[in-house]
Amino acid sequence: KFDFANIEEWTTQVQEVPIGNTSADGGSRGKRIMLGGEKALPFFPDAPMPYRNQVTIDVFDMRLGLAKAVKENYDDVMDNPGEWAKKNVEKFNADMITIHLISTDPLIKDTSPKDAAKTVEEVLQAVDVPIAIGGSGNPQKDPLVLAKAAEVSEGERCLLASASLNLDYAAIAEAALKYDHDVLSWTQLDMNAQKELNRKLMKQCNVPRDRIIMDPTTAALGYGLDYAYTNMERIRLAALMGDDELTFPMSSGTTNAWGARESWMVSSPLKEDSDWGPREYRGPIWEIITGLSLAIAGNDLFMMMHPTSVAVLKHMTQTLF
Amino acid sequence: MKINSPLEAYKYLPQTNCGECGEATCMAFASKLIDRSGKTTDCPPLVKEKKFAKKLAELDRLLAPEIREITIGVGDRAVKIGGDDVLYRHKLTFFNKTKMFFDVTDTMDEAALVERTKKVADFRKFYVGRNLLLDGVAIRSVSNDPAKFAAAVKKVAEVGIPMIFCSFNPAVLKAGLEVAKDKNPLLYAANKDNWKEVGELALEYNVPVVVSAINDLDALKTLAKTFAEAGIKDIVLDPGTSPSGQGLKESFTNFLKIRRAGIMGDTEIAYPILALPITAWMAGISDPVSAAYWETAMAAIFTIRYGDIMILHSMEPYATLPEVHLAETIYTDPRTPVAVDSKMYKVGEPDENSPVLFTTNFALTYYTVESDLSSNGITCWLLAVDTDGIGVEAAAAGGQLTADKVKDAFEKSGFDLKKDVTHNTVIIPGLAARLQGDLEDKLDARVMVGPMDSGRLPGWFEKNWPPKQ
Ligand code: B12
Ligand code: SF4
């Protein structure tokens, strides 16, 4: 007879974190998304997962260079973030959308926080799903941009992306608390740095536990996914075993997969390689496998781009759910 | 493994510190046994001297991996599966990465059969200094005709890669074994109806065998136990792989349960597991690209969660490339980054006028840079600085890439910037720009900062090389 025992050390539940406020919560979103709540590794028989994985599809506040296979899907809406957001939701089944305010980068267009905030308003009007708001990655400017964006979206419970150790995370935390948002706590493949930042957000900035989501960094398949995978799996296992600095849902910048040469190069740079075949099929599956691996490691929310990748990742994670 | 500290292993060693194993002490050797970087056969006294025979046997039993290790095929393409000791890779590392077998049938015409087999055998994807390969073919008996099956096996065997024989008909399997007696194929499969006959074949021909019980772990364990008691050692488990819906969830759960039980010490079910992503083609997906995507996604979840060997169908590169990369990802040893030797490499045939560059010895970094240079026809000297296998940016941040390290690497490589080239110039990675001043002093050479991404080196050279005096 086959015997199977649950893992006794899994004593702690991952924090549940909502994104998006409906009218009942004082916002205008049509639905609210729930992340977290797990008591076991994903899809394990020890305990059911309370919430399924969620996908947020990217929108940018300006036209930018994207892999050809991605761009074909968005070419008609790339000059209009509102339309872009709508397409993501209506056509590509996004649970959420992420608006990246990349034009605010001083080296790109240096859009002012105020003008950038207008784009956020436009997107909030165009769709009623919860949204994440991303800066340009410029550590000096992001806190200003996110603070302004937080202000115009007051009460919607957006996800502010991101607080990190190399920028003024306190300013971002403050904006989240003042205007009713969540914070994405982002570190780079370092569990101890992740603990440190979470601790600072909780203790120093008083961010309540149900407003923190972690992004421990996604490296693409073939380009460090081994580090990203194991980092997430270790974080989730530590959480289940009671490390309350790590008991938060996780988010993955799955689109990093498009940086892998295999996902966009026309053919292999090496003549000894077997034929790489058409790249338009390679890109989406690179995004799928990168994301799916992290789903198994414990990731909850996926920031993605290619519609086919979104569909397959959702299908597989919901099958295992 | 039944023990986990060097001290426990040390008890069984000769304790003479003779040094024949290459370690200074028996204790050091014991550590290698525990982290599985050494084998008992590396200690000559233990193996040769009769008085240690009992200790050796006991030590081997204690050190045996929890999950049985099995070999399929023969020669240099033979593959090993199983052999794991942990449930999560960071706890040690996973051993013997998931093996990919692709299906052929005994009703294919000969030319197509051989062509597909060769395609599997010849597949290669270069990755950090090695080639990722596909592993073998699974010959499915669609005809159910022993003679036809034997003919197909004969053709496939000539190509020389490992084989799985797929039929529930013992007569078919036997016909295949007769023409491939010395090829050590894996038999698929023994089930509740044919286990007697198939078990006898496995014993008679001394080949590994799959036991199959779909969604019935009690039955699976009973079959495995029965075989083990009959003296069959090389057993592979097939709990069934459903391609969709609740069925797929159940299959996935079964893999988790089997491996957990095995690692936790239930030896009766501690065998490698077979996954069948090929069933994606029976899920009623009409578009072939979508079916191949689904198969690849199935392969991914079973590569991560405990599938040791799998049978697949699609050989499209968009399926096989992510499959081989993911197996490499999950099975690469997390304890040591893959590194290249720290030395001066030649890209093309450089001479005294060729540029000199350095990068780090992290294999991913080195090979990315090397391929950017060589595929663009740039001839140069490329020094791999020893950064403990860390990439440029992380090493610069973490202190493994410093001006001293670079100087050291030049000295060790024997390359003299004053004599071996005429320009006394080094091009450094853009992400290591902060080393420039320090390096100029330490090397007494001109230091030029290259682009951040080595992919932009060709354009950079057009503008900046040769350096203006
Ligand atoms: C993977 C990774 C790790 C892995 C490293 C694995 C390994 N074996 O290298 C691990 C988890 C161990 C790690 C640890 C740390 N990391 Co880290 N890590 C990364 C990450 C995510 C990717 C780096 C990578 O592998 N890139 C791919 C390789 C191929 O790139 P590369 O080596 O730089 O090579 C490229 C270029 O440099 C250039 N190039 C290379 N050689 C040459 C030569 C010439 C002549 C030229 C012209 C160009 C060139 O072309 C190559 C291809 O593009 C980056 C963030 C990111 N997304 O970039 C952070 C990052 C590099 N890490 C960082 C830091 C701070 C660290 C830590 C100190 C702490 C931490 N936060 O984790 C430790 C230090 C570890 C140590 N040194 O001991 C910082 C560095 C910040 C800075 N610039 O100072 C980064 C940028 C993250 C961040 N923004 O905070 N890290
Ligand atoms: S060879 Fe054996 S006896 Fe000699 S030092 Fe090594 S472990 Fe000890």
Side-chain angles (χ1 to χ4, degrees), chain A residues 2 230 261-262 273 281 320, chain B residues 89 125-126 218 293 372:
Chain A
F2 180 83
T230 282
R261 292 171 181 212
E262 286 78 354
D273 269 0
Y281 297 134
L320 298 179
Chain B
R89 60 188 292 274
K125 166 67 167 66
F126 186 79
D218 290 336
Y293 269 28
D372 283 335

Side-chain angles (χ1 to χ4, degrees), chain A residues 164-166 186-193 216-219 223-228 231 256 261, chain B residues 336-338 356-360 362-370 372-373 382-383 387-401 426-432 434 448-457 460-461:
Chain A
S164 74
L165 287 166
N166 53 21
W186 174 46
T187 56
Q188 303 245 9
L189 296 179
D190 182 346
M191 189 159 137
N192 290 319
T217 292
T218 294
Y223 294 82
L225 180 63
D226 45 336
Y227 293 99
N231 190 40
N256 281 357
R261 292 171 181 212
Chain B
T336 44
V338 187
V356 180
L357 300 76
F358 77 77
T359 185
T360 78
F362 181 33
L364 181 59
T365 301
Y366 173 80
Y367 285 107
T368 306
V369 177
E370 199 273 341
D372 283 335
L373 293 165
L382 179 61
L383 179 71
T387 55
D388 302 333
I390 303 286
V392 172
E393 206 177 7
Q400 293 92 339
L401 182 59
V426 186
I427 301 163
I428 72 172
L431 289 168
R434 64 176 103 163
M448 296 172 83
V449 177
M452 306 271 200
D453 186 328
S454 54
R456 274 186 251 127
L457 272 169
W460 186 90
F461 272 113

Side-chain angles (χ1 to χ4, degrees), chain B residues 54-290:
Chain B
K54 249 180 122 177
K55 285 198 158 162
L56 174 63
E58 180 59 9
L59 186 57
D60 276 335
R61 191 187 67 80
L62 293 171
L63 289 172
E66 294 297 339
I67 306 301
R68 190 171 170 78
E69 190 172 73
I70 289 171
T71 303
I72 302 164
V74 289
D76 54 1
R77 293 292 302 251
V79 295
K80 276 189 190 159
I81 59 173
D84 278 315
D85 263 318
V86 292
L87 286 169
Y88 311 108
R89 60 188 292 274
H90 67 272
K91 296 270 187 186
L92 181 67
T93 179
F94 287 158
F95 294 89
N96 301 325
K97 70 182 168 184
T98 309
K99 298 299 181 295
M100 315 284 173
F101 283 67
F102 291 80
D103 76 318
V104 295
T105 68
D106 63 357
T107 50
M108 286 168 84
D109 74 62
E110 200 180 297
L113 176 73
V114 172
E115 194 196 310
R116 189 168 158 90
T117 307
K118 284 200 169 137
K119 203 171 162 193
V120 175
D122 295 342
F123 176 95
R124 44 196 28 84
K125 166 67 167 66
F126 186 79
Y127 180 64
V128 299
R130 55 187 91 178
N131 278 313
L132 304 180
L133 304 176
L134 302 176
D135 300 291
V137 289
I139 310 167
R140 296 193 289 126
S141 172
V142 173
S143 68
N144 201 27
D145 172 349
K148 276 222 166 88
F149 188 73
V153 169
K154 202 154 181 255
K155 279 287 141 203
V156 170
E158 283 165 12
V159 180
I161 50 174
M163 297 178 285
I164 305 178
F165 291 176
C166 304
S167 172
F168 291 106
N169 181 347
V172 167
L173 294 176
K174 189 174 169 73
L177 286 165
E178 268 308 306
V179 293
K181 271 199 182 105
D182 50 355
K183 300 284 191 267
N184 196 32
L186 172 66
L187 301 184
Y188 178 89
N191 61 16
K192 66 174 182 355
D193 303 318
N194 68 6
W195 61 270
K196 260 206 173 105
E197 296 90 329
V198 175
E200 273 160 21
L201 288 176
L203 277 174
E204 184 184 341
Y205 292 89
N206 192 20
V207 292
V209 59
V210 179
V211 294
S212 174
I214 309 305
N215 287 336
D216 186 345
L217 298 185
D218 290 336
L220 191 67
K221 185 170 166 176
T222 308
L223 263 181
K225 188 165 179 248
T226 312
F227 271 30
E229 281 164 2
I232 301 173
K233 290 201 177 75
D234 292 344
I235 298 168
V236 178
L237 306 170
D238 169 30
T241 307
S242 300
S244 57
Q246 271 307 111
L248 177 52
K249 183 178 169 60
E250 187 172 357
S251 300
F252 186 74
T253 308
N254 285 337
F255 276 61
L256 300 174
K257 289 182 171 173
I258 292 172
R259 184 51 43 92
R260 186 184 292 175
I263 296 285
M264 303 289 210
D266 182 349
T267 51
E268 288 170 356
I269 196 133
Y271 297 103
I273 317 177
L274 170 80
L276 300 167
I278 189 176
T279 56
W281 297 88
M282 293 160 221
I285 306 167
S286 52
D287 159 48
V289 176
S290 303

Side-chain angles (χ1 to χ4, degrees), chain B residues 10 13-30 33 40 42-46 52:
Chain B
Y10 177 76
L13 295 175
Q15 307 183 0
T16 57
N17 301 334
C18 74
E20 278 187 64
C21 57
E23 297 300 314
T25 62
C26 293
M27 196 61 193
F29 182 72
L33 292 176
T40 49
D42 300 335
C43 168
L46 189 63
F52 295 128

